[in-house]
Amino acid sequence: MKKIALAGNPNCGKTTLFNVLTGSRQRVGNWPGVTVDKKEGILKGHKNYMIEDLPGIYSLSPYTMEEVVSRRYLVEERPDLIINLVDGSNLTRNLYLTSQLIELGIPTVIALNMMDIVKEHGDTIDIHRLQEEIGCPVVEITATKKEGIKELIEKAVETIERSDNKPKFLHYGEKLERTLSDIENHLKGNVPDDLLRYYSIKAFEDDIKAFEKFNISRNTNQNIADLRLKYEQEEDDIAESIVTTERYDALEILSSKVLKKAPPKLSKTDKIDKVVTNRILGLPIFVAVMAIVYYISIMTIGTGATDFVNGFFEETLSPAVETFLTNMNVNEVIIGLIVNGAIGGVGAVLGFLPQMLVLFALLAILEDVGYMARVAFVMDRIFRRFGLSGKSFIPMMIGTGCSVPGIQASRTIENDRDRKITIITTSFMPCSAKLPVIALIAGSLFNQSSLVAVSMYFIGIAAVIISGVILKKFKSLASQPAPFVMELPSYHVPRISSVLRAMYDRGMAFVKRAGTVIFISSLVLWLLANFDFNLHLIEENGQASILAQIGSIIAVLFIPLGFGTWQATVATITGFIAKENVVATLGVVLGISAAVDETTPELLTAFSQGIGGAIGGYSFLLFNMLCMPCFAAVGAIKTEMNSTKWTWAAIGYQMGFAYAVSFMFYNIAKLFEGEFSIWTIIAFVMLVAFIYLIFRKNKYQEKNGQYQVDYAGN
């Protein structure tokens, strides 16, 4: 089977093109030995052609796991063809990766994407001249509109069949070319002949990882090192920077030959960005956008659909199953286990599915339009004021869907200490599994206010910033923020197919958890809540139950937080398995469902009293949002940290931070209700300690390490 590698920068439309080229005939897994996504599929109409979708990368330098994976595949697997997706609206920047791919000597086809945006800007690209300059076929496409796809497929198949197709290398300055030629002479016989150009550049850059599988003599290495050192001393610069500069200079010359820019004018994207990325308006606009998103999801469209689904579980499915089992003379314990345990627990979670789907769709629209990239830019300004990198916000943004991929996305951060802080704090953001908990508290205690959800989102951001400031002042995590480089894609109309796919994928993940982990947990919880230690059936959810007895012992720890009941305690603990379990547990032990307005007043009163009213409920929510994430996320932390010690340190910090925040909130808030106790004094002491940790001097900061950033043109 012929192999085609699909390579390109992030945000260039690669995922869209991959979906168009393969349709539904694709598989998703992981690259061998790493947790980076591996996507492959059969090319439409050509069952003997497999497309490997490489991770989005800016270069083949081994700085991120994505770059390492892509380079290893291209160099070691040697696919039959590379389809290099290039954003035509940002030609020079995208051709940087193209120039490196060409050096691999693999037949390449350039898919020049986003040509609709190029034409909208009034620019023109001379396709024929570009083909002559780089020695590769170039096909104009617009992946979102499926324009040029047929021509791209035909050109890809044709290029694979032509064995004489060889791309042309970029020509650098004469001085560098002479040095590279000398290095090639030293490397001959040590590396494959068709990769001499590639390895000569890597040797000049002192890229040690590129030569791990070669046994090159000490004498050869020394000769190359002497050439490199002489060049660096003459240019007063490091070799890698020299190559980067030469590469961009060559690409600027190439772009000037093929790209004709229209007279400068503000595009629609520029005009919108002047508002949404404004230093003053950027953050308030973000708050307003998220408030609207949660309002639509929780209080309007989502609520009506949730009521319908919940009504199906409570008024149709549960009575029907109970009647059927009763008529079959099934034991009442089994009936209770199935109806109140399985259906009650799973139904309490699935009742929120419509709200989740609406939320997933709205977030997918914001992402597809290009707005979420602007949010990262806006947040970088804020993060840098506190010594954090804007790169940390990308994993957190991903973490709003699920903490696991969010934590995994931290590997794009080069600075190891910044990466550790990001891993520790990413799960502070409310993921999709936490949203049912937010909706339950908002519905039962705050009249379904969307502000509760919005507040959790920004409390998560505040927790990240505060934690970053505190942790950066410890020696093992002290560092300066890494540079933040990110392309802002042009705004465009959201693709319905992409939005529906994102909504489906996230929704199915939610349903799968409900049908597996939540289902099993609900069965176990019902049994523990309805039997005592002598395995006698007791009154439903009575104090003598196994669950109540265990929960009552642990509940003492949560009394100062305002929710020291066994029901709330057990719900919190089961949330460590999966955060949706919090709702499922309360559904089993209290009978509270997704449709809170339909739950009996007695149960709502019991729930409110059990967690200390609205203040206790918000404290309960705070703790469950900020404490240790689910077991799957903990596993991701262990994988990314690659250290048991750091994993336990992360969990310890998360639990301590969540406890302290909930403790301070509850006891200081109760002061406004006229309640004062020893807990109030301790809360103020903790608050003073927090303020001290935030504002104490950072003795590990470099003397010249003033955290500054230059936002050109902003």
Side-chain angles (χ1 to χ4, degrees), residues 334-374:
I334 303 299
I335 295 176
L337 180 65
I338 295 174
V339 175
N340 300 320
I343 297 177
V346 174
V349 174
L350 286 183
F352 290 102
L353 181 60
Q355 290 180 335
M356 299 301 101
L357 291 177
V358 174
L359 179 64
F360 294 153
L362 293 176
L363 292 177
I365 289 173
L366 291 179
E367 189 173 343
D368 206 41
V369 163
Y371 177 68
M372 294 308 280
R374 272 73 185 177

Side-chain angles (χ1 to χ4, degrees), residues 126-154:
D126 188 337
I127 303 301
H128 299 294
R129 183 68 182 273
L130 181 58
Q131 287 182 158
E132 292 175 4
E133 293 290 334
I134 62 177
C136 301
V138 179
V139 180
E140 292 185 358
I141 69 167
T142 300
T144 55
K145 300 177 182 178
K146 300 183 179 181
E147 294 177 358
I149 302 301
K150 181 181 178 182
E151 292 80 0
L152 176 62
I153 294 175
E154 290 175 352

Side-chain angles (χ1 to χ4, degrees), residues 507-563:
M508 281 304 298
F510 188 83
V511 171
K512 286 177 182 177
R513 285 197 298 270
T516 53
V517 176
I518 310 303
F519 175 77
I520 295 171
S521 299
S522 297
L523 294 178
V524 173
L525 286 169
W526 188 88
L527 290 171
L528 294 176
N530 286 273
F531 285 86
D532 60 19
F533 280 103
N534 295 319
L535 300 182
H536 293 146
L537 184 64
I538 62 171
E539 183 181 347
E540 187 175 357
N541 301 327
Q543 291 292 331
S545 69
I546 298 173
L547 199 61
Q549 294 294 310
I550 296 174
S552 296
I553 296 172
I554 304 174
V556 177
L557 296 173
F558 297 106
I559 290 175
L561 276 58
F563 54 93

Side-chain angles (χ1 to χ4, degrees), residues 321-342:
V321 171
E322 185 172 9
T323 300
F324 174 77
L325 294 176
T326 301
N327 292 336
M328 295 291 292
N329 294 320
V330 175
N331 186 284
E332 62 176 6
V333 174
I334 303 299
I335 295 176
L337 180 65
I338 295 174
V339 175
N340 300 320

Side-chain angles (χ1 to χ4, degrees), residues 19 67 194 216 222 266 307 319 356 418 421 493-495 575 611:
N19 292 334
E67 289 170 342
D194 56 350
I216 299 175
Q222 187 59 53
L266 283 178
D307 291 344
M356 299 301 101
D418 278 354
I421 292 175
V493 176
R495 300 168 287 253
I611 60 174

Side-chain angles (χ1 to χ4, degrees), residues 627-638:
C627 70
M628 181 187 95
C630 66
F631 287 162
V634 171
I637 291 175
K638 175 65 169 64

Side-chain angles (χ1 to χ4, degrees), residues 349-403:
V349 174
L350 286 183
F352 290 102
L353 181 60
Q355 290 180 335
M356 299 301 101
L357 291 177
V358 174
L359 179 64
F360 294 153
L362 293 176
L363 292 177
I365 289 173
L366 291 179
E367 189 173 343
D368 206 41
V369 163
Y371 177 68
M372 294 308 280
R374 272 73 185 177
V375 174
F377 178 77
V378 170
M379 294 309 300
D380 178 62
R381 291 173 174 164
I382 298 171
F383 276 32
R384 281 191 174 274
R385 293 183 182 276
F386 298 96
L388 299 171
S389 169
K391 286 188 175 182
S392 297
F393 187 72
I394 304 299
M396 294 165 197
M397 188 167 66
I398 296 171
T400 58
C402 177
S403 293

